[in-house]
Amino acid sequence: MDNIIVYASMTGTTELIARSIAEELARSGWHVTVKDAIDTFAEELLSYDCILIGSYTWGDGELADDIMCFHEELLAVPLSGKLAAAFGAGDSSYEQFGRAVNILEETLENQGCQVITPGLKVDGGSEEEIKAISYSFAKKIKRINEAI
């Protein structure tokens, strides 16, 4: 199964989540491509079976500028039959904690993906804690994928 992880990261937290998920999936022999959203065209997703997209939440619940162009392109790409999940970093002191994850999930569903698990929203923590949370999310994705 070919998998892609696309992310937008400002402080490095969402990139850490993306790379940690990829690391855990690769341990099981999964082929995983990790790309920054700025360097990715949405049509590239057509070549993958499982799509994971991550973004930090900007302001009071908006997508990050770093992923806006990719997201706009994504609205024109039909992804029926693809498996998907979303993740991202946020700040729980905001009313719309991690809303970018919700926006990405909704977009993936609207484009025909089967969102296989609720999105991962990370609210800070040490690098080790973030890695552990990300590894757990990846293991969940593996279990669900194997059950489908």
Side-chain angles (χ1 to χ4, degrees):
M1 175 175 282
D2 280 334
N3 308 273
I4 187 165
I5 300 174
V6 179
Y7 70 89
S9 188
M10 183 171 65
T11 63
T13 302
T14 305
E15 180 178 7
L16 176 61
I17 297 165
R19 296 200 178 280
S20 298
I21 291 169
E23 181 183 328
E24 182 60 36
L25 294 175
R27 282 188 192 130
S28 297
W30 288 32
H31 176 261
V32 183
T33 301
V34 181
K35 294 189 76 173
D36 190 308
I38 291 173
D39 301 322
T40 309
F41 294 102
E43 285 190 1
E44 293 177 51
L45 302 182
L46 294 169
S47 301
Y48 295 91
D49 303 304
C50 185
I51 301 162
L52 306 177
I53 303 178
S55 176
Y56 60 96
T57 299
W58 183 252
D60 196 28
E62 301 163 20
L63 281 178
D65 286 344
D66 304 12
I67 202 164
M68 288 302 292
C69 288
F70 174 81
H71 184 259
E72 287 174 21
E73 288 178 17
L74 186 59
L75 297 173
V77 178
L79 298 171
S80 294
K82 307 286 184 186
L83 304 177
F87 63 91
D91 184 339
S92 62
S93 67
Y94 285 91
E95 185 177 325
Q96 298 290 329
F97 169 61
R99 185 167 176 266
V101 174
N102 301 42
I103 293 168
L104 292 172
E105 283 179 334
E106 182 179 319
T107 301
L108 289 165
E109 285 178 344
N110 289 341
Q111 296 314 111
C113 290
Q114 178 184 353
V115 175
I116 58 175
T117 186
L120 173 64
K121 298 178 181 180
V122 176
D123 184 13
S126 69
E127 184 174 326
E128 292 76 28
E129 290 169 327
I130 293 168
K131 283 183 174 184
I133 291 166
S134 302
Y135 293 156
S136 180
F137 185 69
K139 288 174 185 174
K140 184 177 186 180
I141 289 169
K142 287 190 294 189
R143 282 193 309 273
I144 293 168
N145 245 330
E146 291 167 359
I148 294 176

